[in-house]
Amino acid sequence: MTVNAFASVSLDPALILWSVANKSGNKDLFCNAALFAVHVLAEDQADLALKFAKDSSTFEEGQWHFDSNHLPILHKAIARFECSIHTTFDGGDHTIIIGKVEQFTHNQGKPLMFAGGQFGKFSQ
């Protein structure tokens, strides 16, 4: 799935936050998972972000592999946060998921940005 935002919650322990719509077919998969991965896509991966936003079967097409924890890992992502569920909260029509970062990976490149209803880039 593609989410429009996630945030750092804590450095010690390292925690991140994102939310999933309660009507999403993937909600229970994420809320009940022992582990999950959040990928920050590269600026040239807008098409991939759109595919994941529309169809969760995108993994059938993309370049990825399973890691040692059996998490799907996308190739060429700028950053990856591999997390365990720390806690979840009711957030109205969404469920807020707080993940404990178990492993972090960073690659060279510029991240994909989304603002004002369109994709963009950081200006220099």
Side-chain angles (χ1 to χ4, degrees), residues 28-110:
D28 289 339
L29 292 172
F30 284 106
C31 290
N32 297 320
L35 298 168
F36 64 88
V38 173
H39 295 79
V40 177
L41 299 181
E43 67 182 1
D44 64 349
Q45 292 181 299
D47 288 344
L48 185 59
L50 288 171
K51 284 180 183 177
F52 272 109
K54 295 176 183 176
D55 183 7
S56 62
S57 69
T58 298
F59 273 111
E60 295 172 9
E61 302 172 17
Q63 293 182 336
W64 63 278
H65 69 275
F66 283 116
D67 73 357
S68 61
N69 292 314
H70 205 65
L71 288 173
I73 303 301
L74 294 171
H75 297 184
K76 302 181 183 177
I78 294 300
R80 181 178 63 252
F81 300 83
E82 295 177 44
C83 303
S84 59
I85 296 284
H86 181 70
T87 193
T88 61
F89 295 99
D90 175 39
D93 62 358
H94 280 64
T95 297
I96 300 164
I97 299 173
I98 303 216
K100 181 177 186 250
V101 178
E102 304 291 346
Q103 184 170 322
F104 172 74
T105 304
H106 180 266
N107 297 308
Q108 294 296 318
K110 296 179 181 177

Side-chain angles (χ1 to χ4, degrees), residues 41-46 78 109-124:
L41 299 181
E43 67 182 1
D44 64 349
Q45 292 181 299
I78 294 300
K110 296 179 181 177
L112 179 64
M113 300 295 299
F114 186 80
Q118 59 188 340
F119 291 104
K121 301 176 181 180
F122 279 111
S123 61
Q124 303 252 31

